[in-house]
Amino acid sequence: MLSYVIFSATTAGIYGLLALSLNLIWGGAGMVNLGLAGFFAVGAYASAILSLAGVPVPIAILAACAMGAAAGIGATWATVRLRGDYHAIVTLGFAEVVRLVAMNERWLTNGTDGLPGIPAPLKSVLGPQGFAVFYLCLVLTILVAVFLALRRLDRAPFGRVLKAIREDQDLAGFAGKNAMRVKLIAFAVSAGIAGLAGALYAHYQSYISPDHFQPLLTIYIFLAVTSGGVGRPAGAFLGAFLVILFLEGTRFLGHLLPGLSSGQVAASREILVGLAFLLVLHLRPQGVLPERIRPAPAQ
Amino acid sequence: MTNSTTRRRFLASSAILAGSLALPIRAMAQDGPIKLGTLTPLTGAGGPYGPVMADTVKAVVDGVNAAGGVLGRQIEVVSEDDQTNPEAGVRAARKLIDVDGVSAIMGTWASSVTTAVAPLCWESGTMLTTVSGADSITLLPHEGYIVRTQPNTILQGQKFGEFTVELGAGKVFFMSPQTPFADSQFSEITKVVEAAGGSTEKLIYDDKKPSYRSEVDEMMAFGPDVVVLGGYMPDTTVLLKDIYRAGYEGKMLAFAYSVNQKLVDALPAEVVEGIYTIAPSPAEGSAAYKALTELTGIASPDPYTTQIFDQVNMVILAIAAAGDASGTAIRDAFRTVSQGDGKPVHTALEGLEALAAGEAVNYDGASGPCDFTAEGDILDCQFRYEQVKDGAFTLLKIA
């Protein structure tokens, strides 16, 4: 039981990083990134391929972060001028491109077979149990560090510029802010965090394949950010744990529905997850931890 | 929104979080029921197959429990949904292993899910029986914890190759979307065809395109005698129309799961006329197959259902033979009940009786003889060859 809780918490931590990444770009700059799973995949594959080629894991993870950010810049460079829905569609396309490349470029990604045997740091020293605890601590430490950094960013002038752009890009421009540049930086940081989450996931699971990066994951993260509270890092943090709690918690409700076949239980579980989030959105659309707009500090 | 409300909200959510962790704590006593898990796709792409598979396992176990269980203990089946997604599959498998403490996980379907779940199983000493076909699965360092009842793609590729030669093909063109088995299937076909003096060519296409004209042009330029279709039903439907439009008059060979009755009904008769299909053949007419149809009430169960039926029977027999219900005991005893010179048995009940009488058993299943190599692949499997004639499938041979 304990190892299951440790596993779920680690997964939630990785979801948390993704939620923080999405919150920065969606809650901050108001850009919808439907391609989150794609940046997650870029990071996972980058770190997996590098470490399988013999690069030490910490360096591979850092490289994955950089690859994620680079992919973020690449994906937004041409499209950052697009607004709202158009940008969202391009990011959705990006995620599909990543998945198709991963499926078809066998020389690099081993195709649909995926990459097994990705090195797990210190696993041979610590054993499976020790590794699980160590990795939970590692993920949570990184999550808290990223959270604190993003909260700092959120409260800094940069965060205020982002929100100004979100509310009215033209107005921010009139105020002398270079909206394009700020959006590009925000997107790169966001994609870098998603890449970091991907790398952590790959080394934890030791196996990745194109099937891992289906759009469903992006939806889960959107649910996490929405239920936690868009625009506030603490909300994204909490939302990710709520989502895992829901996804895992509903497993144990099947026994309460006697007379249903296993297929029906699985279906009702999906209904339940959807229903819970509908309720959150209906009763508390601003999320559990709503955004707080702080006054700018006096000069 | 004031600060204090937020904090209260936060505390409330934290309390829910903490409380829920305490929810699923259950005793894992040694004397309680023996727990077996199914991890089949109940939703997602595998959704049409998984629920029947899970129900079949339940039905077999109910029968064994009614007859007194195994080792004097009842068996409890825990069914989880892998959502045809390795990420979700791993979460479900962790729950089965860590919370329920199952000694075997049965029925993983998608190759990516099986590969993702496999390390959890061999690390925790849990038996994993699967219906996935990707060759790479049994090559994992699984220490014997993986057994699969699905013929691997090398075996399937050989059968395709041999049959194209039988059809008199000199030039074979292979068309398939990117699947875990496309490459190995093509290389096996090529080996057989080239040994017979022919030549092959392949084309990997995107399985979500609305039209395959350029792909078909490429195929026509090669001038094949036989086209081998490696896709799934939706893309094969589109592809067949374009092949017909292009005026191709050679032979075509496909998996029976893609060119099936549904596809034949959906397309004009002249488009599908004469297509050959190959499928791993369940052991129709065997005693186990008959037992399965009686148990589930399904007249012609799909291959996955016949396979998981065999898996659960063998797992139960392995527990009985080992006198121990742990995953490691199942692994060690598996081949003593699946093969060898023992008395041929076809259901767990029959086998349990024989074991109780001190006899050795050899399980012969609904999917085939169920004999395994040291790596966990099946040794032998029959294949079913059919041809579409006037909108219906005509059996050519089972071999």
Side-chain angles (χ1 to χ4, degrees), chain A residues 49-131:
Chain A
I49 291 166
L50 285 174
S51 59
L52 283 171
V55 175
V57 172
I59 297 175
I61 292 178
L62 288 179
C65 227
M67 278 295 294
I73 292 176
T76 38
W77 186 261
T79 62
V80 77
R81 281 165 191 80
L82 300 176
R83 285 223 178 158
D85 306 344
Y86 302 104
H87 182 265
I89 290 166
V90 170
T91 55
L92 185 63
F94 172 80
E96 274 302 289
V97 168
V98 170
R99 213 166 59 81
L100 287 173
V101 168
M103 272 171 80
N104 292 291
E105 297 302 317
R106 294 186 61 95
W107 60 274
L108 185 66
T109 63
N110 203 25
T112 42
D113 280 349
L115 293 169
I118 301 165
L122 299 179
K123 193 166 189 175
S124 51
V125 184
L126 298 170
Q129 286 292 335
F131 171 74

Side-chain angles (χ1 to χ4, degrees), chain B residues 184-266:
Chain B
S184 62
Q185 198 193 4
F186 175 69
S187 63
E188 289 305 315
I189 291 175
T190 304
K191 265 188 225 163
V192 180
V193 172
E194 281 181 353
S199 63
T200 58
E201 182 69 56
K202 82 166 166 183
L203 175 80
I204 299 292
Y205 59 81
D206 173 21
D207 63 355
K208 290 182 183 65
K209 283 179 74 173
S211 155
Y212 292 108
R213 279 195 202 171
S214 58
E215 285 84 351
V216 170
D217 283 348
E218 202 172 312
M219 178 273 282
M220 293 298 279
F222 180 71
D225 306 310
V226 173
V227 174
V228 177
L229 306 167
Y232 297 103
M233 195 191 129
D235 50 286
T236 306
T237 310
V238 180
L239 183 58
L240 281 173
K241 283 188 218 165
D242 282 330
I243 289 178
Y244 179 74
R245 272 195 208 111
Y248 173 73
E249 285 174 347
K251 291 168 178 159
M252 284 186 280
L253 176 60
F255 284 111
Y257 61 67
S258 68
V259 176
N260 53 17
Q261 193 63 48
K262 223 163 135 190
L263 178 141
V264 168
D265 292 342

Side-chain angles (χ1 to χ4, degrees), chain B residues 11 61 69 82-83 145 151 203 209 230 259 268 303 308 341 362 379:
Chain B
L11 285 176
V61 165
D82 70 21
Q83 297 176 259
Y145 282 104
L203 175 80
K209 283 179 74 173
V259 176
I308 203 166
D341 301 326
N362 172 16
L379 279 167

